[in-house]
Amino acid sequence: MIKYIGSKRALLPWIIDTIQSIHHQVPIRTAVDLFSGSARVGHALKSKGFYATSNDLMSYAHVLAQALVEADARTYSRERLQPILDRLQSLPPRQGWFTQDYCEKARYFQPKNGARIEAIREGLEAEAGGDPLLRAILLTSLMLAADRVDSTTGVQMAYLKRWAPVPTTTCAWSIHPC
């Protein structure tokens, strides 16, 4: 779950209940998640069987919506994705601009985590092979994994005075849901 100011996480049960109440009175099949941000509402609507459309001005929100709302799990099954995620997970860490800017100049990530993020971010473009939805799924997996190891308090990117812990289990630092 991505830390996000303006998240509708706390409102999600109410939003879904309200839409389902309307659906019981006037059958509806489609819903729109305006200002989708983390795509949490569109994803929940999709899981309840609605055709959801999500929109947002931010590029990362578009990527999240592609992965969580637009992509079809029948096309992008765990069996198809797992080998790709395993290859990305096994890439050797790579220190470059990301590590320098976000780990050394700023303290958003520990350098060890930043180097892993950087290697995976660079490697996922080749793995996606020009497939925009696969790219979005891989980027979303990386964003979710990076969010679990960052040293910030949220989207305002205020970093903490002390580093977040380095995960001791492979599940904690994983680019796919555990």
Side-chain angles (χ1 to χ4, degrees):
M1 178 181 320
I2 292 176
K3 294 179 283 292
Y4 185 75
I5 293 176
S7 170
K8 298 176 203 92
R9 180 182 52 85
L11 295 173
L12 200 53
W14 178 82
I15 292 169
I16 298 302
D17 287 347
T18 301
I19 291 172
Q20 286 181 321
S21 293
I22 294 168
H23 175 67
H24 290 313
Q25 294 179 21
V26 179
I28 55 174
R29 296 268 180 237
T30 62
V32 177
D33 178 14
L34 301 172
F35 315 106
S36 63
S38 65
R40 181 167 287 157
V41 173
H43 187 241
L45 290 167
K46 179 180 175 181
S47 73
K48 298 292 183 186
F50 291 97
Y51 177 85
T53 299
S54 296
N55 82 317
D56 199 296
L57 183 60
M58 304 302 288
S59 296
Y60 77 92
H62 181 249
V63 168
L64 291 170
Q66 282 181 299
L68 300 172
V69 180
E70 183 179 355
D72 188 331
R74 294 170 295 199
T75 303
Y76 300 96
S77 66
R78 182 172 275 295
E79 293 76 30
R80 178 179 174 193
L81 296 174
Q82 194 61 55
I84 298 169
L85 295 171
D86 290 343
R87 283 193 300 273
L88 290 171
Q89 184 95 7
S90 68
L91 291 173
R94 176 178 164 80
Q95 292 187 347
W97 72 269
F98 184 89
T99 309
Q100 183 180 8
D101 287 351
Y102 293 99
C103 305
E104 295 166 3
K105 290 181 182 176
R107 294 174 54 103
Y108 299 134
F109 298 95
Q110 288 196 36
K112 286 171 71 172
N113 290 333
R116 290 189 74 191
I117 292 166
E118 190 154 3
I120 292 168
R121 176 61 185 94
E122 289 181 8
L124 72 79
E125 293 296 337
E127 290 286 351
D131 180 339
L133 292 181
L134 178 56
R135 178 181 182 271
I137 291 166
L138 298 175
L139 276 171
T140 296
S141 297
L142 179 58
M143 283 191 274
L144 292 170
D147 188 63
R148 289 194 294 266
V149 298
D150 74 351
S151 296
T152 68
T153 58
V155 89
Q156 74 273 22
M157 299 308 280
Y159 52 86
L160 304 172
K161 289 182 171 107
R162 285 180 271 157
W163 289 116
V166 173
T168 57
T169 65
T170 56
C171 188
W173 206 149
S174 175
I175 63 169
H176 55 82
C178 299

